[in-house]
Amino acid sequence: MPDVSVSDVTYEDLARLEQEFDDAELQTLREQHKIYAPLYKKRQEVVAKIPNFWALVLEQAPTEFENYTTPSDSQVFADALKSIEVERFEIDDPNGSPRSVVIRFYFDSNEYFEDKVLEKKFWHRRALDGWSGIVSEPVKINWKKGKDLTQGLTDAAFALFAARKKQDAAQNGSSNGKAKASKITKLPEYKAIIDKIENNTEAALSFFTWFGFISSHGYVSAEESAEANKKEAEKRAKWAKGEKVEDEDENDEKDDEDDFFDESEICPNGEEVAEIIVNELWPQAIKYFTAAQEADDDDLSELEDADIDDEDDDDEPVDIRSLVPGKGKGKENGSSASPPPKKRRT
Amino acid sequence: MPDVSVSDVTYEDLARLEQEFDDAELQTLREQHKIYAPLYKKRQEVVAKIPNFWALVLEQAPTEFENYTTPSDSQVFADALKSIEVERFEIDDPNGSPRSVVIRFYFDSNEYFEDKVLEKKFWHRRALDGWSGIVSEPVKINWKKGKDLTQGLTDAAFALFAARKKQDAAQNGSSNGKAKASKITKLPEYKAIIDKIENNTEAALSFFTWFGFISSHGYVSAEESAEANKKEAEKRAKWAKGEKVEDEDENDEKDDEDDFFDESEICPNGEEVAEIIVNELWPQAIKYFTAAQEADDDDLSELEDADIDDEDDDDEPVDIRSLVPGKGKGKENGSSASPPPKKRRT
């Protein structure tokens, strides 16, 4: 290999570069936050005045998102979704990550559940096995009697997580997430949720199972993450000094990373759903809303029975888009010339 | 509509917000550039020492990219691709756009074409019809005799574009891109390329047709873009003062935007290909390279006949990965412990 011996590139060089890229991504997220935070605030104020803004955004969502919602979910959004909010809640926390994100769904009083806010937090954490990524905790949804779209799945996920926390606390273990996961299978709540998933395949398609999502890897506690981050910082410090680093955990982990699958996870694609909300729906909300305005009436049939008075007194079903101001009424502030909607309701 | 009359949100408010988001995106691109530019420079220096780094990155590319390359293309990359480079060449140009990007492919001497560099520029421009997006110009590839993987398609695209420029210059027209496009169909070079596309459906699949890509909308010249940007700036200034704005062009355009399809475009998905290179392959190159290292030998069969001496003197085909330093030779700088490749060649 004549070309090789003259080279002095090692995998370590590439790994260090990867770390620098990782740091650059964090720095970019911080800069981006500074630029966008005031804009998002302003947008929330504007769109709060538009009825069904967020329901329309969700209707026009990218097809991947559509795969994770059912017509029943769309009905809940049309009936009661008031607002969506995305926030990087650890952006100013030196021990947190700019990648951590909270997604809040605000609802009006409705026939489905008691909650006015469903808040789903995603922490970016590092596991002792070398993995890093986002983890969440199941959110309790206080479903009204007979109205649970998930047929008990979110309750079961919440109960299992509580039992798991209790178990961990009792054992006060320092073992990592994967070792803990094997103990969890012995909990009665584990068997209960597995049964429920098997027997409610249709309910498992509801978007609301996403509130029960934990992780694509296995739960990682704040304590484990702090310990793993400390080890990582030590490793980087050694690297910086040119010292040799033992890193067995990481290799062990990466080999079986692909094999991990938690059967008790009620929303296996939860991370993807979160990514679509955070990286597509949230930043592009106005574009999706505008697209919904321009879509043919047919596309909105699912939302057309939204419960609102229509000043047209014919037999047509209510068109949710007719509720949006600025569509020909002319009651708004002076200039209404540009840019008008392309297709009006006929 | 009781809820509507109390609201004072108009489409104009949303459109203004969209403009602010657009500005924020430009600002983010500039910040991102500051953060990443020195890193990309460093990475280029490191990976230049790794034979076939970029060919391996392309092999491991996202599946959408794979759809735009043939086995013959992969062979060219394995044989001769030296480097890829992506640059936002108008980032410091007050009249340019941070969205404009140039992609350069560097090649060793090879049996396919004379060129050592194939440089594809994408300008972000605004058309007089209100559209904005990226446009490019066909790049001449000096294919060696009998080696043209596109069977004359890139030559035809280059010839048509030259004829089109000549026509435009002769007419000195200020008409917009779409009006010009209708005149183009009368050129003999137009008929020639249409015939060629119809009769070379297989050659049309070659990645190299991408060098002939123009636009998903129709070509927009620098002059047209400057004129359109001037009008846009005037519109924004009027808005800022609360004046009414006439904006007919924009409405005309948006209505038939989806209908536009240029039959003479030899790479209709050229914009998507550019986006994958700029937003996936370029920023994630090390990850793709590492994934290629970890992939099973089978996955690399297409590259295994790369023409390089192998110090293993058995009958096995050459494994391109064995060319990468740092895989057990230990000739590199002191510490070689972490993080090693997961799967070595056996």
Side-chain angles (χ1 to χ4, degrees):
Chain A
M1 290 192 279
D3 285 329
V4 176
S5 54
V6 297
S7 160
D8 57 357
V9 180
T10 64
Y11 278 83
E12 201 171 309
D13 290 324
L14 288 179
R16 282 179 206 218
L17 258 177
E18 271 287 81
Q19 267 182 12
E20 291 186 59
F21 271 90
D22 196 60
D23 291 342
E25 194 182 315
L26 295 179
Q27 205 186 330
T28 304
L29 279 174
R30 288 194 189 93
E31 292 297 330
Q32 204 167 17
H33 177 79
K34 276 185 223 158
I35 295 169
Y36 279 93
L39 263 185
Y40 284 135
K41 194 165 169 278
K42 197 166 170 181
R43 187 184 69 184
Q44 286 298 75
E45 285 160 17
V46 170
V47 306
K49 297 171 195 158
I50 304 175
N52 285 298
F53 178 88
W54 287 103
L56 281 163
V57 169
L58 293 186
E59 274 307 295
Q60 207 62 30
T63 41
E64 310 93 63
F65 186 78
E66 218 176 283
N67 295 336
Y68 306 122
T69 52
T70 65
S72 305
D73 297 329
S74 299
Q75 192 61 55
V76 179
F77 297 144
D79 288 355
L81 181 63
K82 253 171 75 178
S83 179
I84 294 177
E85 201 174 85
V86 171
E87 201 187 318
R88 298 198 177 269
F89 65 100
E90 294 188 333
I91 196 107
D92 297 318
D93 176 356
N95 296 316
S97 167
R99 293 194 181 100
S100 295
V101 73
V102 58
I103 304 172
R104 296 188 194 96
F105 282 70
Y106 293 90
F107 294 93
D108 286 316
S109 300
N110 65 70
E111 56 180 299
Y112 308 98
F113 42 74
E114 304 289 348
D115 312 271
K116 295 290 171 64
V117 192
L118 294 175
E119 176 182 282
K120 184 76 179 157
K121 271 186 164 173
F122 294 90
W123 291 268
H124 194 273
R125 286 183 181 160
R126 189 183 298 277
L128 285 168
D129 64 12
W131 177 88
S132 64
I134 62 164
V135 300
S136 188
E137 298 185 1
V139 172
K140 173 89 180 156
I141 302 179
N142 295 290
W143 296 102
K144 291 188 179 173
K145 207 171 145 77
K147 291 292 187 178
D148 183 349
L149 294 178
T150 73
Q151 302 293 346
L153 284 170
T154 52
D155 283 348
F158 190 79
L160 173 60
F161 192 76
R164 177 183 196 162
K165 274 207 154 170
K166 221 169 143 185
Q167 190 186 53
D168 287 351
Q171 295 173 341
N172 195 22
S174 65
S175 61
N176 70 26
K178 215 155 282 174
K180 280 176 185 167
S182 69
K183 279 181 251 157
I184 287 155
T185 57
K186 274 136 203 151
L187 291 166
E189 288 86 353
Y190 184 86
K191 205 187 149 352
I193 203 168
I194 300 292
D195 285 352
K196 237 182 214 324
I197 291 170
E198 274 173 18
N199 296 319
N200 291 284
T201 46
E202 198 154 333
L205 299 175
S206 168
F207 170 76
F208 289 91
T209 61
W210 175 73
F211 288 100
F213 172 74
I214 294 178
S215 160
S216 62
H217 164 269
Y219 185 67
V220 179
S221 69
E223 295 72 33
E224 180 179 339
S225 188
E227 200 183 328
N229 278 326
K230 210 181 132 204
K231 285 195 180 176
E232 176 71 14
E234 286 165 6
K235 192 182 87 180
R236 290 196 187 195
K238 279 191 185 173
W239 268 17
K241 284 189 277 180
E243 290 174 32
K244 202 170 167 175
V245 185
E246 295 298 331
D247 199 19
E248 281 166 41
D249 276 344
E250 192 155 333
N251 301 328
D252 286 353
E253 180 272 326
K254 280 197 179 155
D255 271 341
D256 60 359
E257 190 176 336
D258 294 333
D259 303 333
F260 180 80
F261 179 69
D262 184 349
E263 283 180 81
S264 69
E265 175 58 70
I266 65 170
C267 185
N269 295 102
E271 187 166 338
E272 192 187 340
V273 174
E275 272 169 13
I276 296 170
I277 297 172
V278 172
N279 299 326
E280 303 272 340
L281 291 179
W282 177 249
Q284 308 282 337
I286 296 179
K287 286 205 179 81
Y288 286 116
F289 173 76
T290 309
Q293 295 297 306
E294 289 169 4
D296 288 334
D297 285 23
D298 313 6
D299 299 345
L300 286 154
S301 53
E302 283 169 39
L303 280 171
E304 282 181 348
D305 41 355
D307 181 25
I308 307 148
D309 290 334
D310 186 2
E311 70 168 18
D312 294 355
D313 53 1
D314 54 23
D315 292 338
E316 261 179 60
V318 175
D319 185 337
I320 198 166
R321 287 170 298 159
S322 67
L323 298 167
V324 179
K327 304 202 78 174
K329 281 283 155 254
K331 277 186 188 169
E332 307 78 18
N333 57 29
S335 60
S336 61
S338 167
K342 248 51 69 192
K343 286 175 189 171
R344 287 160 198 263
R345 187 184 176 202
T346 47
Chain B
M1 291 191 279
D3 285 330
V4 175
S5 54
V6 297
S7 161
D8 58 357
V9 181
T10 65
Y11 278 83
E12 201 171 309
D13 289 323
L14 288 179
R16 282 179 206 218
L17 258 176
E18 272 287 81
Q19 267 181 13
E20 291 186 58
F21 271 90
D22 197 59
D23 291 342
E25 195 182 312
L26 295 180
Q27 205 185 332
T28 303
L29 279 174
R30 287 194 189 94
E31 292 297 330
Q32 205 167 16
H33 178 78
K34 277 185 221 156
I35 295 169
Y36 279 93
L39 262 184
Y40 284 134
K41 195 165 168 278
K42 197 166 168 181
R43 188 184 68 184
Q44 286 298 74
E45 286 161 16
V46 170
V47 307
K49 298 172 193 159
I50 303 175
N52 285 297
F53 177 88
W54 287 103
L56 281 163
V57 169
L58 292 185
E59 273 308 294
Q60 207 62 29
T63 41
E64 311 94 64
F65 186 79
E66 217 176 284
N67 295 337
Y68 306 122
T69 52
T70 65
S72 305
D73 297 330
S74 299
Q75 193 60 54
V76 178
F77 297 145
D79 288 354
L81 181 63
K82 253 171 75 177
S83 179
I84 294 177
E85 201 174 85
V86 171
E87 201 188 318
R88 298 200 177 269
F89 65 100
E90 293 187 335
I91 195 107
D92 297 319
D93 176 357
N95 295 316
S97 168
R99 294 194 181 101
S100 295
V101 73
V102 57
I103 304 173
R104 296 188 194 97
F105 282 69
Y106 293 90
F107 294 93
D108 287 316
S109 298
N110 65 70
E111 57 180 297
Y112 307 98
F113 41 74
E114 304 290 347
D115 311 273
K116 293 292 171 62
V117 192
L118 293 175
E119 177 181 281
K120 185 75 178 159
K121 270 186 165 174
F122 294 90
W123 291 268
H124 194 272
R125 287 183 180 159
R126 189 183 299 276
L128 284 168
D129 63 12
W131 178 86
S132 63
I134 61 165
V135 300
S136 188
E137 298 185 0
V139 172
K140 172 90 180 154
I141 302 179
N142 295 290
W143 296 103
K144 292 187 177 171
K145 209 174 146 71
K147 291 291 188 178
D148 183 348
L149 295 178
T150 72
Q151 302 291 346
L153 283 170
T154 52
D155 283 349
F158 189 80
L160 173 59
F161 192 77
R164 176 183 200 164
K165 274 207 153 170
K166 220 168 144 185
Q167 190 185 54
D168 287 351
Q171 296 172 342
N172 196 21
S174 66
S175 61
N176 69 27
K178 217 155 281 173
K180 281 177 185 165
S182 69
K183 279 180 252 156
I184 287 156
T185 57
K186 274 137 203 151
L187 291 167
E189 288 86 354
Y190 184 86
K191 206 189 150 350
I193 203 167
I194 300 292
D195 285 351
K196 237 183 214 324
I197 291 170
E198 274 173 18
N199 296 318
N200 290 284
T201 46
E202 198 155 334
L205 299 174
S206 168
F207 170 77
F208 290 90
T209 61
W210 175 74
F211 288 100
F213 171 75
I214 294 177
S215 161
S216 64
H217 164 270
Y219 185 67
V220 179
S221 69
E223 294 71 31
E224 180 179 341
S225 188
E227 199 182 329
N229 278 326
K230 208 180 133 207
K231 284 195 180 177
E232 175 71 15
E234 285 166 6
K235 192 183 86 179
R236 291 196 186 194
K238 280 191 184 172
W239 268 19
K241 285 190 275 180
E243 290 174 32
K244 203 171 165 175
V245 185
E246 295 299 330
D247 199 21
E248 281 166 43
D249 276 344
E250 192 155 333
N251 301 327
D252 285 353
E253 179 273 324
K254 280 196 178 156
D255 270 340
D256 60 359
E257 190 176 336
D258 294 334
D259 303 333
F260 179 81
F261 179 70
D262 183 350
E263 284 181 79
S264 69
E265 175 58 71
I266 63 169
C267 184
N269 295 102
E271 188 165 338
E272 191 187 339
V273 174
E275 272 170 13
I276 296 171
I277 296 173
V278 172
N279 299 326
E280 304 271 340
L281 291 179
W282 176 249
Q284 309 282 336
I286 296 178
K287 285 204 179 81
Y288 286 116
F289 173 76
T290 310
Q293 296 297 307
E294 289 168 6
D296 289 334
D297 284 23
D298 312 8
D299 298 345
L300 287 154
S301 53
E302 283 169 37
L303 280 172
E304 282 180 349
D305 41 354
D307 181 25
I308 307 149
D309 291 334
D310 186 1
E311 71 170 15
D312 294 355
D313 52 2
D314 54 22
D315 292 337
E316 260 178 64
V318 174
D319 184 338
I320 198 166
R321 288 170 298 157
S322 67
L323 299 168
V324 179
K327 302 204 79 174
K329 281 283 156 253
K331 275 187 189 169
E332 307 79 18
N333 58 28
S335 59
S336 62
S338 167
K342 249 50 70 189
K343 286 176 188 170
R344 287 161 196 264
R345 186 183 178 203
T346 47

